[in-house]
Amino acid sequence: MELIIGAHVSYKKEEQLLGCVKEALSYGANTFMFYTGAPQNTMRTEIKEEKVKEAYALLKKENMQVKDIIIHAPYIINLANPKTAEFAVSFLKEEIKRVEKLGITKIVLHPGSHVGVTKEEGIQNIIRGLNQVIDRTTKVMICLETMAGKGTECGSTFEELKQIVDGVNYNEKVGVCLDTCHIHDAGYDLSNFDEILLHFDKIIGLSKLQCIHINDSKNERSSHKDRHENIGYGTIGFSNLLAIIYHSKLEGIPKILETPYVDKEFPPYKFEIEEIRAKTYNENLYEDIKSFYK
Ligand code: FE
Ligand code: FE
Ligand code: ZN
């Protein structure tokens, strides 16, 4: 089976989904993930049908599957905090409409941070919120992301995610997105990934795993920091990441890079995807990226 690999791309006002497809193609990707506007705010523009049509034509021409495309909900959305839950629910309801209009089937969501309440209360708030958002008619799957456990984040263990999944009434519409940097920072040892997958399968069930974020980490295991690093340049390392990307049990699951831009300016994805496909670590990654984009 073909590797499904992509990166975080930007959604711009003019070209919208079409621009996302073009950006992904420029990286040699066969899928991508995007926010339907700025990741840090909830201002959203009307979807232009014309651009959706053009985007679909290009997807077809390039043999990319709509089912592999991921949308990330803005990270300021917080279902865990009672003060922000109401807004989060109404935003997510609107977001689901937009996502369904685009024909995309997976939304990645950070479960939330239990600001001002206990973690258990935070988890109950997340469950309550998801039950307000997801009903019988919902077509998309909401994929809860594994978190690093920074501050008061909920969802940094498989057990917490399982508790949320179990609390949702229509939980066939809830999946999980595993982020390699986050689980490493949360304390999981990625040099023993087979064990992690067995544990995941036992607690949550492997069929729930719908998306994988491929990131190296700037920090040590259990640091609870959540700072992404370029592939092979962090504390997880190239061979551990490659073992995850090519793991036989994870075939067919979209893998998305969210690694940092070089000098905050140049996207690393074209070159990271190249080294992943070649299964060869590029020790000149930064130089190659800079000379390509300059
Ligand atoms: Fe995320
Ligand atoms: Fe992520
Ligand atoms: Zn992160």
Side-chain angles (χ1 to χ4, degrees), residues 72 110 145 182 213 258:
H72 199 309
H110 293 181
E145 185 164 351
H182 297 177
H213 287 169
E258 307 174 292

Side-chain angles (χ1 to χ4, degrees), residues 6-9 33-35 70 72 75 108 110 145-146 177-182 211-216 226-231 255-261 268-269 272:
H8 166 230
V9 299
M33 179 179 81
F34 65 103
Y35 293 82
I70 313 286
H72 199 309
Y75 48 70
V108 168
H110 293 181
E145 185 164 351
T146 58
C177 168
L178 187 140
D179 185 309
T180 56
C181 168
H182 297 177
C211 176
I212 301 175
H213 287 169
I214 303 291
N215 302 303
D216 215 324
D226 186 7
R227 295 201 54 216
H228 303 183
E229 184 53 283
N230 293 104
I231 303 305
K255 320 239 167 35
I256 305 288
L257 296 160
E258 307 174 292
T259 48
Y261 275 35
Y269 309 122
E272 288 180 325

Side-chain angles (χ1 to χ4, degrees), residues 143-159:
C143 302
L144 303 170
E145 185 164 351
T146 58
M147 302 310 290
K150 188 175 67 181
T152 56
E153 280 173 354
C154 301
S156 62
T157 66
F158 299 160
E159 287 78 2

